[in-house]
Structure formats: C-alpha cells, structure tokens
Amino acid sequence: MSSGVSPLPVGRVGAVSVPATSANLGAGFDCLGLALDWRDQMSVTVAPTTTVTVTGEGAEDIPRDESHLVLASIKRGLAELGHTAPGFDFVAHNTIPHGRGIGSSAAAIIAGLALAWQLARPDLELGLDFVLELGIRIEGHADNAAPAVLGGAVLGVGERAAPQLVSLDLAPQWRCVVDVPTVVVPTSTARKVLPDSRAVGESIAESSRLALTTLALAGAVGPEQLLAATEDPWHQRHRGDLMPQTRDWIAALRAEGFPAVVSGAGPTVLTLIADDQEPPTHEGFARHVLVPGAGVRSAL
Ligand SMILES: Nc1ncnc2c1ncn2[C@@H]1O[C@H](COP(=O)(O)OP(=O)(O)O)[C@@H](O)[C@H]1O
Ligand SMILES: N[C@@H](CCOP(=O)(O)O)C(=O)O
C-alpha cells in the first residue's frame, strides 16, 4: 500500500471495540453473517518491548507473545500500511467466548487490523475499507469479517474470498437468542468434516433457503418463514456428530417451532425471534438475548 517501511514512534496509541458475529444463519454457509451486540475492548500503545495484558475470555490460555492473534494482526496490518514497531503494550478485555462459533477469531483479526490503521494513520478516521478487504483476505470468507466491520447482517455475493458485500436492511423486530455451551469446537476442526462438493439437489435446497432467509430477515416475508428457511442446513448436517448436544438442542427447539441453527461452525445455538416469545432454556447452555450489533468502532 505504501513504498518503504517506517518505524512508528513509541507512544502512538490505538483503541477499538469489536463485535461477536454469528455466521451462516442456516443456509448462508461462508457468505451470510450477523454482528451481535456483544463486544471485546482492546487498546495498544507502541512501546520499546511487548507486554500483553488480557482479562476475561481466554485470559488463562491465549499466548502473551506476538503469536497472539490480535498482535499478529496488528503486525500484518502495519506491514501492509508500510510500518513497523519495536513492540506494543497491548491490553484486551475479552467477553466473546473462544471456539464456540460466535466469531472470536474474526473479532481478534478485525480488531488487530483496525488498531494497525489507527497506529499508522492517526489523523484519519478508521479505514473500514482497508480493514474489510484485508480481514476477508485473511479469513478467506466474509461471513464473520464483514459484519464485524460493517455491523448488522451482511451477505457476501460471488467469489468467496473477494465477494461483493450487501448489507441487509434488517427488519427492526429481530432479537438474537444465543445459547453458548461450555464445550469448545475449534472452527478448523469443524471445517475438516465438510465434504469438498455437494450434489445439485443439495445446492438447490440450500440456495432457495438462503434466498428465503434474506427475505425473512429483511421483513419482505413473515418471520414465520425463517423456520422453513433454516431447515437442514448443509454444514450442520455434516457437523452434527462433532456436537451432539448442540444437534439435539436444535432439534428440540425446532420441534417447538423456533428457527434454531448452529452459530458459525458451532457449537453455539442461535435462534432469531421476532416477538416476545423467548425459547425455553437448556441445562449446559448459557443464554444471552441480544440485538444485532454495530461493527468495529474506534474507542479513542
Ligand atoms: N481476543 C482474542 N485474542 C487472542 N486470540 C484470540 C481471541 N479470540 C480468538 N482468539 C484465537 O482464536 C481461537 C478461536 O478461533 P475459532 O476456532 O475460529 O473459534 P471462534 O468460533 O470463536 O472464532 C482461540 O482459541 C484463540 O487462539
Ligand atoms: N462459515 C464459517 C463460519 C465460522 O464461524 P466461527 O464463528 O465458528 O469462526 C464456517 O461455518 O466454518
């Protein structure tokens, strides 16, 4: 993006908040996702050496060196913007659970790129186009990265790694019921069980259900259509054995008429509701009732 590499001055600061996201929403595998009103807060100061302070989710087990995903993303962003830094004082307060299918790794990458922008371009507004383009490139698909940047629900159309992005005009009534189990399923594990291709009949079922999902989310058809739109999603069918507790809870919710789906690669369960009728709870799942959230924001 810039020719030559220049070191940043010690003391330069960045601070952002970034949302959790729920990807796929049933039939929108790798192309549809929704930001949630559930956020991590992170700040960074350029320093002579690196220190990492983490509170909240992941505080016990994430690395404290530059392999930390946010720090690695800051460095990647700075390299793209033509800068280096001797080190960072990095502070994170994490509330988004890790490895549960609500976009913690996308949030970490997007936060890191946004912090890099703030360090490299202190006089400019947050460069959302930069963060979006590089974030999707790093993730390889847009369904977490795009809503984490833009907020709301975003559909990636066309090429998976470089899609045209369409923000859905969400009908105002939607609320997001998020049931988070304690068990962790890394996204990388949940991707390995997916087949490389699908049959024509499966593609037709999936694309027609995705079309109905977007109509329901936008309020162009009634919210009751979301149950049919989220029937038997392709990725869920293949991931069920990895997360039997999730599969069973989704089946129970759907039997009662709630359009429950696996959030992202799982094992969290997402149910979108359009009225006050909240689904029953289940032992072993922590319940969060949220609204669609804003994208990454400067906290400077
Ligand atoms: N805030 C964070 N800071 C550092 N690393 C993070 C953060 N959030 C996620 N990660 C990394 O991403 C991993 C989880 O990624 P992934 O398996 O894709 O699950 P998720 O569905 O939560 O995105 C964590 O184990 C951790 O290594
Ligand atoms: N489309 C991806 C979404 C992964 O989301 P995450 O929140 O589980 O990281 C997939 O289904 O693999």
Side-chain angles (χ1 to χ4, degrees):
M1 202 160 182
S2 139
S3 60
V5 175
S6 67
L8 291 173
V10 167
R12 183 72 64 79
V13 294
V16 296
S17 83
V18 65
T21 48
S22 182
N24 301 327
L25 307 182
F29 178 73
D30 274 4
C31 64
L32 178 62
L34 173 70
L36 301 170
D37 188 22
W38 186 351
R39 305 179 78 82
D40 283 349
Q41 314 280 341
M42 304 183 191
S43 64
V44 69
T45 306
V46 175
T49 58
T50 292
T51 63
V52 177
T53 308
V54 179
T55 56
E57 294 289 337
E60 306 299 314
D61 43 31
I62 54 179
R64 295 297 198 273
D65 58 17
E66 292 189 12
S67 67
H68 185 288
L69 189 54
V70 182
L71 282 181
S73 304
I74 294 174
K75 290 184 78 172
R76 173 77 189 272
L78 286 180
E80 293 276 333
L81 292 164
H83 290 281
T84 57
F88 306 96
D89 285 333
F90 173 74
V91 180
H93 180 60
N94 298 334
T95 69
I96 306 169
H98 296 177
R100 307 307 215 300
I102 37 181
S104 74
S105 56
I109 292 166
I110 294 304
L113 298 177
L115 290 167
W117 177 274
Q118 290 179 319
L119 295 178
R121 305 282 186 266
D123 299 328
L124 300 182
E125 294 287 303
L126 197 51
L128 295 183
D129 289 345
F130 167 79
V131 175
L132 197 52
E133 191 273 328
L134 186 52
I136 294 172
R137 198 146 36 99
I138 292 170
E139 282 259 284
H141 44 87
D143 52 350
N144 293 111
V149 176
L150 299 174
V154 185
L155 178 67
V157 180
E159 283 294 310
R160 180 159 61 173
Q164 178 195 340
L165 298 176
V166 178
S167 285
L168 301 188
D169 198 4
L170 279 179
Q173 75 271 25
W174 290 113
R175 288 186 300 142
C176 315
V177 178
V178 179
D179 289 339
V180 186
T182 49
V183 63
V184 168
V185 178
T187 303
S188 54
T189 305
R191 290 189 82 84
K192 284 193 190 110
V193 299
L194 300 178
D196 291 336
S197 60
R198 52 180 111 175
V200 173
E202 290 181 310
S203 292
I204 293 166
E206 195 80 342
S207 53
S208 56
R209 288 179 178 134
L210 175 55
L212 188 57
T213 300
T214 59
L215 291 171
L217 291 179
V221 298
E224 72 284 354
Q225 294 291 343
L226 200 57
L227 186 63
T230 54
E231 184 69 33
D232 195 28
W234 173 81
H235 78 104
Q236 281 182 212
R237 209 179 310 146
H238 295 286
R239 288 169 163 167
D241 286 347
L242 269 184
M243 45 193 91
Q245 184 193 21
T246 294
R247 179 180 54 199
D248 293 349
W249 180 224
I250 286 175
L253 287 169
R254 295 186 68 84
E256 291 197 34
F258 294 102
V261 293
V262 172
S263 178
T268 288
V269 175
L270 172 75
T271 309
L272 290 173
I273 56 172
D275 54 30
D276 292 335
Q277 216 194 337
E278 198 184 303
T281 54
H282 191 296
E283 195 185 344
F285 288 86
R287 166 67 52 89
H288 302 258
V289 182
L290 305 162
V291 291
V296 64
R297 289 283 183 271
S298 170
L300 285 175

